[in-house]
Amino acid sequence: MLNLTKLSKSFRGTKVLDNIDFSIGAGEVVGLIGRSGAGKSTLARIVVGLETPETGSIRLDTQEITPGKGDARRRIQYLWQDPIQTLSPYLSAAGAVLETLHGFDIGRPQTRRARAQDLLASLGIVAQIAARKPHELSGGQCQRVALARALAAEPDVLILDEPLSALDVTSQLGVIDLLRRVHAKRSLSMLIVSHDIAPLRLLASRIAVLDGGQIVEDLPLPRFFATARHPLSRAYISTMKVQSDAA
Amino acid sequence: MTDVPMSLSKTYRRRLPRGFAGRGGLWLGLALLGGFVVLGFAGSFVSLPPPEKIDLLTRLAPPSAVHPLGTDHLGRDVLARLIGAVPVSLGAAIATMAAILAIALPWGLTAALAGGKVDALLMRLADIVMAFPTLVLALAVIGFLGASLEASIIGVAAAWWPSNARLLRALVLSARQRDFVRAAGLAGASPARVIWRHVLPQVLPPLAVIVSLEMASVLLVLSSLSFLGIGAQAPTPEWGAMLNEARPFFARAPHMLLVPGLAVTLAVLAFNLIGEGLRDMLDQREPYKW
């Protein structure tokens, strides 16, 4: 579905991504984990056109794409780390979703408002809340609205950049549950960037570890926990064990 | 499940605008400006001699029942001239600010939105104009066109627009970098919609503040030019020109100097208070605390 080939990116002479080859299959949920500053978000931002790679190419299905341009802009949607900062303070929740429907010319103009309301309602945002602006919503509600906006574009790939990091624990569980339901219903391909392995264990079918600008481990979820060899992978697995022991 | 608001959301949460409540400065500024507007219209309803009417028999008369603010060195009624100068002085300031914005708005917007070479070219041209001292450039333009109020409007606008264009460009560039603006672009909003619906609403409130504060400066400069004799020409009533005419008679007829002087001071104060008040109010309206 989505193939990244020989992707490289530097910031001020420091190589953040070094000739990375990476792919996400149709309907697959891939977790990308790594230390802070490892380049996880950079990779995600390159895929949607927020950053430009120095080398490499990106293919969606078999077509080479320019991220953020043409049909790729609709087909690959991005969920930002801090939902409250990424919703316009000038638009209501319903307005944000409507904007996407208008922008990508999805559905008949007369039915778009109802479509936006339905989409929001399916994610737990009722009409009364949909009329509110972001500052009147909780973090979890903002993340749901942002997700509704992304889904309104009817994407094939959803990139989620630390979708839980700005939320409290209760909201995190709600969003995890929501993402699982969305994936089950739509069979979207998802790339979830995270610095925490716990939510990836609940969401991903495959986990890739990014370190030193390279993918150092890339295994299906069960095999990752059973056979991962890289010290960073082992460290992440051990944090899970510590957490479960503590629980 | 119930969403619990983020702990940070309290910090980020928009503070509801308190509007005009508790904003004495803004109220006072608006009241002063309103007073000038009323004064400007008062001429039509109050029986006063024409501001240009000369009566040498009553020259330099102190305030009296016939001439509430006295007369000037040509026997003209100072109150009539003060009222007659309201639309001239304030109108000239408004026309100058409009001319400045007419150049600065498209200039700054185009530079910020086009970026690259267009931005560089437009900003270097603005820099060239800014390299000249503002007053010197204004005087040069007035010297070329000939001394008149119209020439001083053009001169001040020609010298003043680049700083506003630069400021506007900076506001637009800053507004475009906000996450929600970039997110709207990724989520399907067209470039025109992004500018109209997400960038301009961020730019207009600070622009309103800038315009209010700049109006005060423009009014002062235009009055100064008239005071120097290269702005409004006799017999047009204009506060700066009235001050110039009053200068030789300050000892004998201080009302000639005090009346227009007070008018300029109060008008500048009004615009400054409105600008400051708007800034405080719009800071409260900022969607998020950053």
Side-chain angles (χ1 to χ4, degrees), chain B residues 177-235:
Chain B
Q177 289 305 312
R178 302 279 276 266
D179 279 350
F180 72 81
V181 176
R182 304 177 84 187
L186 280 184
S190 65
R193 185 177 163 85
V194 168
I195 292 162
W196 185 252
R197 204 67 185 78
H198 302 287
V199 173
L200 282 182
Q202 296 181 68
V203 171
L204 292 179
L207 189 66
V209 176
I210 291 162
V211 166
S212 296
L213 296 172
E214 289 277 71
M215 280 286 285
S217 307
V218 164
L219 181 69
L220 267 182
V221 169
L222 289 172
S223 295
S224 304
L225 291 172
S226 293
F227 178 78
L228 294 172
I230 51 177
Q233 299 298 301

Coordinates of all heavy atoms in Angstrom, one line a residue, chain B residues 177-235:
Chain B
Q177 N 2.2 29.7 10.2 CA 2.9 28.7 10.8 C 2.2 27.9 11.9 O 2.6 26.9 12.4 CB 4.2 29.2 11.5 CG 5.3 29.7 10.4 CD 5.6 28.5 9.5 OE1 5.9 27.4 9.9 NE2 5.6 28.8 8.2
R178 N 1.0 28.5 12.3 CA 0.2 27.8 13.3 C -0.2 26.4 12.9 O -0.6 26.2 11.7 CB -1.0 28.7 13.7 CG -0.7 30.1 14.2 CD -0.3 30.1 15.6 NE -1.4 30.2 16.5 CZ -1.9 31.3 17.0 NH1 -1.4 32.5 16.7 NH2 -2.9 31.3 17.8
D179 N -0.2 25.5 13.8 CA -0.5 24.1 13.4 C -1.9 24.0 12.8 O -2.1 23.2 11.9 CB -0.4 23.2 14.7 CG 1.0 22.8 15.0 OD1 1.9 23.1 14.2 OD2 1.2 22.2 16.1
F180 N -2.8 24.7 13.3 CA -4.2 24.5 12.8 C -4.3 25.0 11.4 O -5.2 24.6 10.6 CB -5.3 25.2 13.7 CG -5.3 26.7 13.7 CD1 -6.0 27.4 12.8 CD2 -4.7 27.4 14.8 CE1 -6.1 28.7 12.8 CE2 -4.8 28.7 14.8 CZ -5.4 29.4 13.8
V181 N -3.5 26.0 11.0 CA -3.5 26.5 9.6 C -2.9 25.4 8.7 O -3.5 25.1 7.6 CB -2.7 27.8 9.5 CG1 -2.6 28.2 8.0 CG2 -3.3 28.9 10.3
R182 N -1.8 24.8 9.1 CA -1.2 23.7 8.3 C -2.1 22.5 8.2 O -2.2 21.8 7.2 CB 0.2 23.4 8.8 CG 1.1 24.6 8.9 CD 2.4 24.3 9.5 NE 3.3 23.8 8.5 CZ 4.5 23.3 8.7 NH1 4.9 23.3 10.0 NH2 5.3 22.9 7.8
A183 N -2.8 22.2 9.4 CA -3.7 21.1 9.5 C -4.8 21.3 8.5 O -5.3 20.3 7.9 CB -4.1 20.9 10.9
A184 N -5.3 22.5 8.4 CA -6.5 22.8 7.6 C -6.1 22.5 6.1 O -6.9 22.0 5.3 CB -7.0 24.2 7.7
G185 N -4.9 22.9 5.7 CA -4.4 22.7 4.4 C -4.3 21.2 4.1 O -4.8 20.7 3.0
L186 N -3.8 20.4 5.0 CA -3.7 19.0 4.8 C -5.1 18.3 4.8 O -5.3 17.3 4.1 CB -2.9 18.3 6.0 CG -1.4 18.4 5.9 CD1 -0.8 17.6 7.1 CD2 -0.9 17.9 4.6
A187 N -6.0 18.9 5.5 CA -7.4 18.3 5.6 C -8.3 18.7 4.5 O -9.5 18.5 4.6 CB -8.0 18.6 7.0
G188 N -7.7 19.4 3.5 CA -8.5 19.6 2.3 C -8.9 21.1 2.0 O -9.4 21.3 0.9
A189 N -8.6 22.0 2.9 CA -9.0 23.4 2.6 C -8.1 23.9 1.5 O -6.9 23.7 1.5 CB -8.8 24.2 3.9
S190 N -8.8 24.6 0.6 CA -8.0 25.2 -0.5 C -7.1 26.3 0.0 O -7.4 26.9 1.1 CB -9.0 25.8 -1.6 OG -9.7 26.9 -1.0
P191 N -6.1 26.7 -0.8 CA -5.2 27.8 -0.3 C -5.9 29.1 0.0 O -5.7 29.8 0.9 CB -4.2 27.9 -1.5 CG -4.2 26.6 -2.1 CD -5.5 26.0 -2.0
A192 N -6.9 29.4 -0.9 CA -7.7 30.6 -0.7 C -8.5 30.6 0.6 O -8.6 31.5 1.3 CB -8.6 30.8 -1.9
R193 N -9.1 29.4 0.8 CA -9.8 29.2 2.1 C -9.0 29.3 3.3 O -9.3 29.9 4.3 CB -10.6 27.9 2.0 CG -11.5 27.8 3.2 CD -12.4 26.6 3.3 NE -12.9 26.4 4.6 CZ -14.0 27.0 5.1 NH1 -14.7 27.7 4.3 NH2 -14.5 26.8 6.3
V194 N -7.8 28.7 3.2 CA -6.8 28.7 4.3 C -6.5 30.2 4.7 O -6.6 30.6 5.8 CB -5.5 28.0 4.0 CG1 -4.5 28.3 5.0 CG2 -5.8 26.5 4.0
I195 N -6.3 31.0 3.6 CA -5.9 32.4 3.9 C -7.1 33.2 4.4 O -7.0 33.9 5.4 CB -5.5 33.1 2.6 CG1 -4.1 32.5 2.2 CG2 -5.3 34.6 2.7 CD1 -3.8 32.7 0.7
W196 N -8.3 33.0 3.8 CA -9.5 33.7 4.2 C -10.0 33.3 5.5 O -10.4 34.2 6.3 CB -10.5 33.5 3.1 CG -11.8 34.3 3.3 CD1 -13.0 33.9 3.6 CD2 -11.9 35.8 3.1 NE1 -13.9 35.0 3.7 CE2 -13.2 36.1 3.4 CE3 -11.0 36.8 2.7 CZ2 -13.7 37.4 3.3 CZ3 -11.4 38.1 2.7 CH2 -12.8 38.4 3.0
R197 N -10.1 32.0 5.8 CA -10.8 31.5 7.0 C -9.8 31.3 8.2 O -10.3 31.3 9.3 CB -11.5 30.2 6.6 CG -12.6 29.8 7.4 CD -13.8 30.8 7.2 NE -14.9 30.5 8.1 CZ -15.0 30.8 9.4 NH1 -14.0 31.4 9.9 NH2 -16.0 30.5 10.1
H198 N -8.5 31.1 7.9 CA -7.7 30.7 9.0 C -6.5 31.7 9.2 O -6.1 31.9 10.4 CB -7.1 29.3 8.8 CG -8.1 28.3 8.6 ND1 -8.9 27.8 9.7 CD2 -8.6 27.6 7.5 CE1 -9.7 26.9 9.2 NE2 -9.6 26.7 7.9
V199 N -6.1 32.4 8.2 CA -4.9 33.3 8.3 C -5.4 34.7 8.6 O -5.0 35.3 9.6 CB -4.0 33.3 7.1 CG1 -3.0 34.4 7.2 CG2 -3.3 31.9 6.9
L200 N -6.3 35.2 7.8 CA -6.8 36.6 8.0 C -7.5 36.8 9.4 O -7.2 37.9 10.0 CB -7.7 37.0 6.9 CG -7.0 37.4 5.5 CD1 -8.0 37.8 4.5 CD2 -6.0 38.5 5.7
P201 N -8.3 35.9 9.9 CA -8.8 36.2 11.2 C -7.8 36.4 12.3 O -8.0 37.0 13.3 CB -9.7 34.9 11.5 CG -10.0 34.4 10.1 CD -8.8 34.7 9.3
Q202 N -6.6 35.8 12.1 CA -5.5 36.0 13.1 C -4.9 37.3 12.9 O -4.3 37.9 13.8 CB -4.5 34.9 12.9 CG -4.9 33.5 13.2 CD -3.7 32.6 13.0 OE1 -2.8 32.6 13.7 NE2 -3.8 31.8 11.9
V203 N -4.9 37.8 11.6 CA -4.1 39.0 11.3 C -4.9 40.3 11.6 O -4.4 41.3 12.0 CB -3.7 39.0 9.8 CG1 -3.1 40.3 9.3 CG2 -2.7 37.9 9.6
L204 N -6.2 40.2 11.4 CA -7.0 41.4 11.5 C -7.1 42.1 12.9 O -7.0 43.3 13.0 CB -8.5 41.2 10.9 CG -8.5 40.9 9.4 CD1 -9.9 40.6 9.0 CD2 -8.0 42.1 8.6
P205 N -7.2 41.3 13.9 CA -7.2 42.0 15.3 C -6.0 42.8 15.6 O -6.1 43.9 15.9 CB -7.4 40.8 16.2 CG -8.1 39.8 15.5 CD -7.5 39.9 14.1
P206 N -4.8 42.2 15.4 CA -3.6 43.0 15.6 C -3.5 44.2 14.7 O -3.0 45.3 15.0 CB -2.4 42.1 15.5 CG -2.9 40.8 14.8 CD -4.4 40.8 15.1
L207 N -4.0 44.0 13.4 CA -4.0 45.1 12.5 C -4.8 46.2 12.9 O -4.5 47.4 12.8 CB -4.4 44.6 11.1 CG -4.3 45.5 9.9 CD1 -2.8 45.7 9.6 CD2 -4.9 45.0 8.7
A208 N -6.0 45.9 13.6 CA -6.9 47.0 14.1 C -6.2 47.8 15.1 O -6.3 49.0 15.2 CB -8.1 46.3 14.6
V209 N -5.4 47.1 16.0 CA -4.6 47.8 17.0 C -3.6 48.7 16.4 O -3.4 49.9 16.7 CB -3.9 46.8 17.9 CG1 -3.1 47.5 19.0 CG2 -5.0 45.9 18.6
I210 N -2.9 48.2 15.4 CA -1.8 48.9 14.7 C -2.4 50.2 14.1 O -1.8 51.3 14.2 CB -1.1 48.0 13.7 CG1 -0.3 47.0 14.4 CG2 -0.2 48.9 12.8 CD1 0.1 45.8 13.5
V211 N -3.5 50.0 13.4 CA -4.1 51.1 12.7 C -4.5 52.2 13.7 O -4.3 53.4 13.4 CB -5.4 50.6 11.9 CG1 -6.2 51.8 11.4 CG2 -4.9 49.8 10.7
S212 N -5.1 51.8 14.8 CA -5.5 52.8 15.8 C -4.3 53.6 16.3 O -4.3 54.8 16.4 CB -6.1 52.2 17.0 OG -7.3 51.6 16.6
L213 N -3.2 52.9 16.6 CA -2.0 53.5 17.2 C -1.3 54.4 16.1 O -0.8 55.5 16.3 CB -1.0 52.5 17.7 CG -1.5 51.7 18.9 CD1 -0.6 50.6 19.3 CD2 -1.8 52.6 20.1
E214 N -1.3 53.9 14.8 CA -0.7 54.6 13.7 C -1.5 55.9 13.4 O -0.9 56.9 13.0 CB -0.6 53.7 12.5 CG 0.4 52.6 12.6 CD 1.8 53.0 12.2 OE1 2.4 53.7 13.0 OE2 2.3 52.7 11.1
M215 N -2.8 55.8 13.6 CA -3.6 57.0 13.3 C -3.1 58.2 14.1 O -3.1 59.3 13.7 CB -5.1 56.7 13.6 CG -5.8 55.9 12.6 SD -6.2 56.9 11.1 CE -7.6 57.9 11.8
A216 N -2.8 57.9 15.4 CA -2.3 59.0 16.3 C -1.0 59.6 15.7 O -0.9 60.8 15.7 CB -2.1 58.4 17.7
S217 N -0.1 58.7 15.3 CA 1.2 59.2 14.8 C 1.0 60.0 13.5 O 1.5 61.1 13.3 CB 2.1 58.0 14.5 OG 2.2 57.2 15.6
V218 N 0.1 59.5 12.6 CA -0.2 60.1 11.3 C -0.8 61.5 11.6 O -0.4 62.5 10.9 CB -1.1 59.2 10.5 CG1 -1.7 60.0 9.3 CG2 -0.3 58.0 9.9
L219 N -1.7 61.6 12.5 CA -2.4 62.9 12.8 C -1.4 63.9 13.3 O -1.4 65.0 12.9 CB -3.5 62.6 13.9 CG -4.3 63.8 14.4 CD1 -5.2 64.3 13.2 CD2 -5.1 63.5 15.6
L220 N -0.4 63.4 14.1 CA 0.6 64.3 14.6 C 1.5 64.8 13.5 O 1.9 66.0 13.5 CB 1.5 63.6 15.7 CG 1.1 63.7 17.1 CD1 2.1 63.0 18.0 CD2 1.0 65.2 17.6
V221 N 1.9 63.9 12.6 CA 2.8 64.3 11.5 C 2.1 65.3 10.6 O 2.7 66.3 10.2 CB 3.2 63.0 10.7 CG1 3.9 63.4 9.4 CG2 4.2 62.2 11.6
L222 N 0.8 65.0 10.3 CA 0.1 65.9 9.4 C -0.1 67.3 10.0 O 0.1 68.3 9.4 CB -1.3 65.3 9.0 CG -1.3 64.1 8.1 CD1 -2.7 63.5 8.0 CD2 -0.8 64.5 6.7
S223 N -0.4 67.3 11.3 CA -0.5 68.6 12.0 C 0.9 69.3 12.0 O 0.9 70.5 11.9 CB -0.9 68.3 13.5 OG -2.2 67.8 13.5
S224 N 2.0 68.5 12.2 CA 3.3 69.1 12.2 C 3.6 69.8 10.9 O 4.2 70.9 10.8 CB 4.4 68.1 12.5 OG 4.1 67.4 13.7
L225 N 3.2 69.0 9.8 CA 3.5 69.6 8.4 C 2.7 70.9 8.2 O 3.2 71.8 7.6 CB 3.2 68.5 7.4 CG 4.1 67.3 7.3 CD1 3.5 66.2 6.4 CD2 5.5 67.7 6.9
S226 N 1.4 70.9 8.7 CA 0.6 72.1 8.6 C 1.2 73.2 9.4 O 1.2 74.4 9.0 CB -0.8 71.8 9.0 OG -1.4 70.9 8.1
F227 N 1.7 72.8 10.6 CA 2.3 73.8 11.5 C 3.6 74.4 10.8 O 3.8 75.6 10.9 CB 2.8 73.1 12.8 CG 3.4 74.0 13.8 CD1 2.7 74.9 14.6 CD2 4.8 74.0 13.9 CE1 3.4 75.7 15.5 CE2 5.5 74.8 14.8 CZ 4.7 75.7 15.6
L228 N 4.3 73.6 10.0 CA 5.5 74.1 9.3 C 5.1 74.9 8.1 O 5.9 75.5 7.4 CB 6.4 73.0 8.9 CG 7.0 72.2 10.1 CD1 7.8 71.0 9.6 CD2 8.0 73.1 10.9
G229 N 3.8 74.9 7.7 CA 3.3 75.7 6.6 C 3.3 74.9 5.3 O 3.1 75.5 4.2
I230 N 3.6 73.6 5.3 CA 3.6 72.8 4.1 C 2.5 71.8 4.0 O 2.5 71.0 3.1 CB 5.0 72.1 3.9 CG1 5.3 71.3 5.1 CG2 6.0 73.2 3.6 CD1 6.6 70.6 5.0
G231 N 1.5 71.9 4.9 CA 0.4 71.0 4.9 C -0.8 71.8 4.4 O -0.8 72.4 3.3
A232 N -1.9 71.9 5.2 CA -3.1 72.6 4.9 C -2.7 74.1 4.7 O -2.0 74.6 5.5 CB -4.1 72.4 5.9
Q233 N -3.3 74.7 3.7 CA -3.0 76.1 3.4 C -4.1 77.0 3.8 O -5.3 76.6 3.8 CB -2.7 76.3 1.9 CG -1.5 75.5 1.4 CD -0.2 75.9 2.1 OE1 0.3 77.0 2.0 NE2 0.5 74.9 2.8
A234 N -3.8 78.3 4.2 CA -4.8 79.2 4.5 C -5.7 79.5 3.4 O -5.3 79.4 2.2 CB -4.1 80.6 4.9
P235 N -7.0 79.7 3.6 CA -7.7 79.8 4.9 C -8.3 78.5 5.4 O -9.1 78.6 6.4 CB -8.8 80.8 4.6 CG -9.2 80.5 3.2 CD -8.0 80.0 2.5

